[in-house]
Amino acid sequence: MPRVSEDHMNARREQILAAARTCFLRNGIHNTSMQDLIQEAGLSVGAVYRYFKSKTEIINAISQTFTGGITTGLTQVSEDPELGLLDAMSQALDLVEAQVGPGGMFPLGIQVWGEAMRDPAIAEIVKARYGEMRTPFVAVARRAVERGELPAGTDPEAVASVLFGSLPGFALQRTLIGTPDKATYLAGLHALLAR
């Protein structure tokens, strides 16, 4: 029996994940069964379970892809010594804004939050992913203190939690009520941070 190529395996895995995203967005995570995912993927039960043993594993894989890209972008922002605090936040908002619009993953993220409230395994996934995304903001906050954009003695961890928290706040408002736009949100941040 010929070995299946890595490209073929990656394509099958992505086929399953794409089917899961479609089902989750259409029916909700809670209302989607593994059988629904299998049907949507157009694969056999065995083929799907070869890659993922449970819906939780699928949610983990989707969240890893989604947050991994954002975390990489946030890390690049945090490592750019030329960016002031508001410029760093502007670039961070760009990363989030791309996930709010059509085809973005933020609407699925909201569902994952809801599932995290009732499923401890998903809560652990959310905790790990959000911890990863918050970490780059510590470097952003430290640099802002060094540049005098924030007062000396400011706790970078505390600031990082607030800066990071502003991203889902922006995305949630955009998703649920359609406003504010990025420029308005950034102006609000500027007003709060002005000394």
Side-chain angles (χ1 to χ4, degrees):
M1 183 172 179
R3 293 190 71 168
V4 176
S5 74
E6 189 172 332
D7 287 344
H8 176 80
M9 291 178 69
N10 289 338
R12 280 285 184 257
R13 187 175 189 277
E14 185 49 43
Q15 181 180 352
I16 295 163
L17 294 176
R21 287 187 293 267
T22 297
C23 287
F24 292 160
L25 288 170
R26 181 178 59 226
N27 305 326
I29 291 173
H30 189 70
N31 292 326
T32 297
S33 67
M34 283 297 285
Q35 188 58 45
D36 295 330
L37 300 175
I38 291 163
Q39 274 187 303
E40 185 71 31
L43 298 171
S44 70
V45 171
V48 172
Y49 279 99
R50 177 180 184 188
Y51 295 92
F52 301 101
K53 303 295 181 229
S54 67
K55 189 165 71 168
T56 300
E57 283 189 13
I58 292 172
I59 292 167
N60 187 38
I62 290 171
S63 72
Q64 198 165 27
T65 301
F66 168 55
T67 62
I70 291 177
T71 301
T72 298
L74 292 174
T75 300
Q76 291 170 349
V77 167
S78 74
E79 293 173 348
D80 186 340
E82 300 301 314
L83 291 178
L85 181 55
L86 283 173
D87 289 333
M89 288 306 295
S90 177
Q91 289 193 20
L93 287 170
D94 286 340
L95 294 168
V96 172
E97 192 168 38
Q99 296 301 323
V100 173
M105 293 293 288
F106 189 75
L108 188 53
I110 295 171
Q111 289 189 48
V112 173
W113 293 349
E115 286 299 301
M117 302 311 297
R118 56 172 296 284
D119 184 331
I122 294 175
E124 285 302 311
I125 292 167
V126 170
K127 181 179 178 181
R129 298 294 175 263
Y130 277 69
E132 293 164 2
M133 286 193 297
R134 187 171 62 190
T135 298
F137 286 99
V138 176
V140 170
R142 279 195 186 108
R143 191 170 61 236
V145 171
E146 290 166 6
R147 294 168 74 121
E149 295 174 290
L150 293 173
T154 295
D155 178 357
E157 295 280 343
V159 172
S161 66
V162 172
L163 294 176
F164 170 69
S166 71
L167 298 184
F170 169 71
L172 194 59
Q173 290 180 77
R174 286 292 300 272
T175 300
L176 296 178
I177 60 176
T179 59
D181 62 17
K182 179 190 157 192
T184 302
Y185 200 77
L186 206 53
L189 280 173
H190 182 268
L192 289 173
L193 295 171
R195 302 184 339 148

